[in-house]
Amino acid sequence: AADKTYTIDPGAATARTISGFYIKSASGTVTATLKVGTAVVKAASVTDSTGDQTSLANTSVSANDVITLVCSSNSSALDVIFAVEYTE
């Protein structure tokens, strides 16, 4: 995972609600911040024991909102996997 912003959805097709966020790395650590526009949904310190995230905020997604994952402070994080779940 490079220290950069990854675009998950450049413009949501329909309004939805983020209902879940899962993220972990095979090794190392990285800070990962899920965002809707500029609003933070969840900032997590990701390791090989991370997984389902709780206490999500700003979960409402409007049509055309951009959803991103911002990775920073990478310390040898490898094979980062993630999933974002939605309800409509």
Side-chain angles (χ1 to χ4, degrees), residues 18-80:
I18 295 174
S19 57
F21 177 42
Y22 175 95
I23 188 162
K24 73 184 293 184
S25 65
S27 63
T29 61
V30 66
T31 299
T33 305
L34 180 65
K35 292 183 172 186
V36 174
T38 59
V40 173
V41 175
K42 179 69 178 189
S45 178
V46 179
T47 67
D48 62 349
S49 62
T50 311
D52 286 322
Q53 300 298 303
T54 58
S55 302
L56 304 180
N58 304 307
T59 57
S60 294
V61 179
S62 298
N64 298 314
D65 275 352
V66 177
I67 302 169
T68 57
L69 183 65
V70 181
C71 291
S72 60
S73 302
N74 185 324
S75 180
S76 303
L78 298 173
D79 299 327
V80 174

